[in-house]
């Protein structure tokens, strides 16, 4: 308990120690790398996921690529890219590593959001004379948005936690307190840095949980409140894939 108390005291002391960035500055660096990486990954993965979900083409390839990307160790990729690009391009190496980490969750959230939509809703839209573009933007995107936000939430938390290793190559962030404190045997700083990472992740997760609730279309929210029911197996599998869990095959009777 003394170590935890010392760590909390260090956090609120306003003096992180000689050679360390201030805590607000470190949090800013942590969030900066997270936002840049998730935005770039989203620009790549979300349109691709929407295309897969809308057309039904390329799903197997997307699943294979996502699985391969999840298997790549982020720390090893960061070191490899730093060596390949050179020490003058360490920020670029870090961002590429974090983008690779974020793409699978974003891709899964994008296409599973479309796959979870009842096909009868799309057929009704086509029977009303809606074009494929109208179906995409007026039906599929709004209905698939909650699962997409779930994918963004998972990707953001993964990247936010992994940005900690960027301090190993001298890019700062909250990881500097953890990595630099080990040889110094400053366990108050080490635990304090870990607490800051955990608290920041919890705050971001809470904000995304609220956003995920707010993006549910009002009509669906009202219908669900009026007639509560158990989620379908399709919805549960889609949510599992969006957060990175393997989707179990449907049971047959």
């Amino acid at each position: 308990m003394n170590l935890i108390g010392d760590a909390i005291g260090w956090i609120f002391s306003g003096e992180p120690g000689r050679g360390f960035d201030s805590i607000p500055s470190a949090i800013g660096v942590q969030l900066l790398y997270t936002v840049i990486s998730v935005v770039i990954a989203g620009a790549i993965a979300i349109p691709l996921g929407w295309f897969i979900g809308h057309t039904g083409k390329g799903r197997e390839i997307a699943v294979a690529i996502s699985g391969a990307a999840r298997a790549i160790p982020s720390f090893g990729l960061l070191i490899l890219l730093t060596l390949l690009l050179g020490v003058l391009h360490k920020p670029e190496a870090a961002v590429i590593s974090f983008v690779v980490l974020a793409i699978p969750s974003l891709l899964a959230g994008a296409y599973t959001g479309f796959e979870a939509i009842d096909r009868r809703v799309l057929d009704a839209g086509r029977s009303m004379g809606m074009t494929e573009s109208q179906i995409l933007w007026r039906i599929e995107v709004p209905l698939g948005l909650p699962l997409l936000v779930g994918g963004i939430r998972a990707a953001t938390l993964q990247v936010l936690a992994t940005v900690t290793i960027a301090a190993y190559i001298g890019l700062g962030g909250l990881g500097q307190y953890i990595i630099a404190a080990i040889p110094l045997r400053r366990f108050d700083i080490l635990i304090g840095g870990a607490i800051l990472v955990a608290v920041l992740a919890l705050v971001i997760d809470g904000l995304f949980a609220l956003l995920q609730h707010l993006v549910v279309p009002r009509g669906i929210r009202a219908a669900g409140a009026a007639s509560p029911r158990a989620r379908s197996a399709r919805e549960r599998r889609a949510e599992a894939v969006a957060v990175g869990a393997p989707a179990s095959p449907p049971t047959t009777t």
Side-chain angles (χ1 to χ4, degrees):
M1 288 300 295
N2 288 336
L3 286 176
I4 295 177
D6 291 343
I8 294 175
W10 170 81
I11 292 172
F12 290 101
S13 68
E15 295 293 337
R18 185 175 181 180
F20 293 111
D21 296 334
S22 66
I23 291 176
S25 176
I27 292 175
V29 171
Q30 194 89 3
L31 292 175
L32 178 64
Y33 277 105
T34 300
V35 171
I36 291 175
S37 302
V38 173
V39 168
I40 294 174
I44 298 170
I46 293 175
L48 181 59
W50 282 350
F51 172 80
I52 294 170
H54 181 71
T55 64
K57 299 177 181 179
R59 188 182 188 281
E60 293 77 12
I61 298 175
V63 170
I65 293 175
S66 296
R70 291 183 197 277
I72 298 175
S74 300
F75 183 73
L77 181 60
L78 174 63
I79 299 301
L80 176 62
L81 289 174
T82 300
L83 294 174
L84 292 176
L85 298 179
V87 294
L88 296 179
H89 298 283
K90 290 187 292 185
E92 292 88 339
V95 168
I96 293 172
S97 301
F98 303 144
V99 167
V100 171
L101 176 67
I103 282 177
S105 295
L106 292 169
L107 183 62
Y111 73 73
T112 55
F114 283 16
E115 288 183 345
I117 299 172
D118 192 331
R119 297 297 99 181
R120 291 173 296 182
V121 176
L122 304 181
D123 292 339
R126 292 188 176 96
S127 68
M128 294 172 60
M130 296 178 69
T131 65
E132 291 300 312
S133 177
Q134 289 174 323
I135 289 173
L136 173 65
W137 292 107
R138 297 174 65 177
I139 297 179
E140 290 179 316
V141 170
L143 293 180
L145 199 55
L147 280 179
L148 174 59
V149 173
I152 298 173
R153 176 183 179 182
T156 301
L157 293 176
Q158 288 172 337
V159 173
L160 182 67
T162 309
V163 167
T164 305
I165 66 175
Y168 187 81
I169 58 174
L171 295 182
L174 294 174
Q176 65 183 296
Y177 305 129
I178 299 173
I179 293 173
I182 295 175
L184 296 175
R185 299 184 63 83
R186 288 292 305 274
F187 298 112
D188 56 335
I189 298 178
L190 190 154
I191 296 173
I195 291 174
L196 288 171
V197 174
V199 170
L200 183 60
L202 288 173
V203 171
I204 298 298
D205 186 51
L207 293 175
F208 269 107
L210 177 62
L211 177 61
Q212 195 169 1
H213 173 73
L214 293 176
V215 298
V216 176
R218 188 178 303 173
I220 293 180
R221 208 182 309 160
S227 56
R229 61 176 178 80
R231 293 178 302 161
S232 68
R234 173 187 290 178
E235 290 170 334
R236 292 195 298 269
R237 289 197 302 273
E239 290 179 359
V241 173
V243 298
S248 58
T251 58
T252 56
T253 57

